[in-house]
């Protein structure tokens, strides 16, 4: 059985989208799939980041030079990412500068996970819980 392609994409905005892309790759292990630069230096109109265990997120610059709808303010997002490797991702995230919000722990409902903030304040929870 193969995993269907993702049909739900959390979307985040960043003041410094190129730095956010590097952070998501280095601190969490996402892969850069598609980056559409804007007209201004350092502007990202659209970016798709793929999670190696399935799914992904989209992101872009808060300020966009093209006719996009107004972006969500930076740091306003929260994303939950399913992983079978929470201990590994937790260690990598902290080593690369993520701010710990909730430490790595086992939950009563059988999940193991943690929550961190990226450099612009978006919250990222990683855990083994796949939903009911």
């Amino acid at each position: 059985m193969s995993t269907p392609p993702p049909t739900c994409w959390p979307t985040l905005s960043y003041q410094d989208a190129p730095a956010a892309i590097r952070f998501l790759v280095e601190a969490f292990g996402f892969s850069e799939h598609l980056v559409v630069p804007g007209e201004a230096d350092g502007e990202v109109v659209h970016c798709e980041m793929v999670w190696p265990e399935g799914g992904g997120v989209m992101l872009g610059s808060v300020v966009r030079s093209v006719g996009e709808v107004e972006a969500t303010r930076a740091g306003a997002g929260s994303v939950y990412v399913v992983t079978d490797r929470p201990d590994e991702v937790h260690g990598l995230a902290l080593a690369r500068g993520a701010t710990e919000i909730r430490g790595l722990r086992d939950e009563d409902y059988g999940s193991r996970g943690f929550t961190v903030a990226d450099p612009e304040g978006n919250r990222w929870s990683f855990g083994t819980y796949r939903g009911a």
Side-chain angles (χ1 to χ4, degrees):
M1 182 168 140
S2 64
T3 303
T7 57
C8 181
W9 290 83
T11 304
L12 303 169
S13 298
Y14 288 91
Q15 292 292 338
D16 188 346
I21 292 166
R22 286 189 304 276
F23 180 83
L24 295 180
V25 169
E26 295 172 2
F28 298 154
F30 278 87
S31 296
E32 185 180 314
H33 180 68
L34 172 69
V35 178
V36 179
E39 296 173 4
D41 186 40
E43 176 187 12
V44 175
V45 173
H46 174 75
C47 174
E48 294 176 17
M49 303 294 292
V50 176
W51 182 240
E53 296 178 65
V57 296
M58 294 182 186
L59 65 92
S61 298
V62 170
V63 178
R64 300 181 186 170
S65 58
V66 295
E68 296 283 328
V69 295
E70 185 175 325
T72 305
R73 67 178 171 80
S78 179
V79 179
Y80 178 78
V81 182
V82 176
T83 181
D84 292 328
R85 310 171 293 114
D87 295 70
E88 178 185 335
V89 177
H90 180 256
L92 182 61
L94 295 182
R96 297 295 184 163
T99 302
E100 190 166 61
I101 304 296
R102 183 179 53 81
L104 184 64
R105 67 183 187 205
D106 295 317
E107 301 293 350
D108 294 343
Y109 50 90
S111 179
R112 180 166 178 77
F114 66 95
T115 301
V116 295
D118 67 28
E120 292 199 25
N122 291 301
R123 291 189 176 204
W124 294 82
S125 295
F126 292 84
T128 58
Y129 182 72
R130 295 184 178 274

